[in-house]
Amino acid sequence: MSYSNASGAGETPMIEIDLDVRDFSSNWANCDLVSSYVSRMVCHNRLDSMLFANLYSSALNELMETTFHRHGNNGKVVCRFKRRENGDRIEIDMPGSEDIARFYDDAVALTKRPDKDAIYLDRLFSTETPDTSLGLLELSVDYGAEFSLTRDQSNNRICLTADLVFEDKAS
């Protein structure tokens, strides 16, 4: 299964939320709150809405936690939620310096490696402090998420896109 819609054609925008960086990063619980709220909103018309909401919430929470740890200092974190047939696209557009963009470049590249499963297990069970890219790796291995990253260097913004497919058929 694949989202396979790099151009964005045929997507249906569902929800977009803007969060001030300072407000968003002021409380770890914001990740869970946003994930739970959005999941309830976007899952209502799925074949198995409870299962879909649980999977969606878990995946979104990992994305939000990664963003919580790695973003620029000022501006908005903009989250866009879209759907195309049975696939869901989550875009997290955030302020990001060159250092932050490099982190996401490396994390996205890691999710595309053929040995990502072994890397994920090695990092998951490591005694060292987990790095913040572990969440993206987990989504790639456990949920089949496909990631991409775009940069707007003129505004020091980056956009992390996650394409997910949780069910075979669209409702």
Side-chain angles (χ1 to χ4, degrees):
M1 293 184 290
S2 167
Y3 189 87
S4 70
N5 187 23
S7 69
E11 290 178 336
T12 302
M14 295 187 297
I15 301 173
E16 180 173 318
I17 55 175
D18 295 359
L19 306 163
D20 180 79
V21 166
R22 289 190 185 103
D23 292 339
F24 173 66
S25 62
S26 67
N27 188 341
W28 176 265
N30 289 338
C31 299
D32 184 53
L33 293 171
V34 170
S35 300
S36 296
Y37 173 77
V38 169
S39 297
R40 288 185 189 134
M41 297 297 288
V42 301
C43 75
H44 72 281
N45 61 348
R46 287 297 190 170
L47 293 174
D48 186 343
S49 61
M50 290 299 291
L51 174 62
F52 187 84
N54 285 333
L55 293 171
Y56 200 99
S57 179
S58 295
L60 180 56
N61 194 45
E62 285 297 330
L63 287 171
M64 299 300 287
E65 287 181 8
T66 301
T67 305
F68 182 87
H69 289 291
R70 293 294 202 148
H71 57 74
N73 295 327
N74 298 312
K76 299 277 184 190
V77 173
V78 180
C79 303
R80 294 178 203 96
F81 305 92
K82 302 174 179 178
R83 180 166 296 151
R84 181 173 187 253
E85 298 176 359
N86 64 332
D88 286 84
R89 174 169 283 178
I90 301 170
E91 297 174 350
I92 301 180
D93 186 332
M94 65 191 107
S97 64
E98 187 60 35
D99 181 51
I100 292 168
R102 193 171 318 110
F103 162 79
Y104 282 102
D105 274 337
D106 292 345
V108 168
L110 195 60
T111 66
K112 297 181 185 305
R113 289 180 48 156
D115 59 344
K116 66 184 177 186
D117 292 23
I119 295 169
Y120 170 64
L121 291 175
D122 184 55
R123 290 186 179 185
L124 181 65
F125 295 110
S126 171
T127 57
E128 297 176 18
T129 303
D131 70 50
T132 50
S133 66
L134 187 61
L136 299 186
L137 198 53
E138 178 184 352
L139 290 173
S140 177
V141 170
D142 290 344
Y143 292 79
E146 296 180 12
F147 293 98
S148 61
L149 186 71
T150 55
R151 295 183 189 190
D152 181 353
Q153 293 178 326
S154 64
N155 292 320
N156 286 331
R157 294 195 66 85
I158 56 176
C159 183
L160 176 67
T161 300
D163 291 325
L164 301 150
V165 177
F166 292 126
E167 52 185 28
D168 294 331
K169 298 169 99 180
S171 57

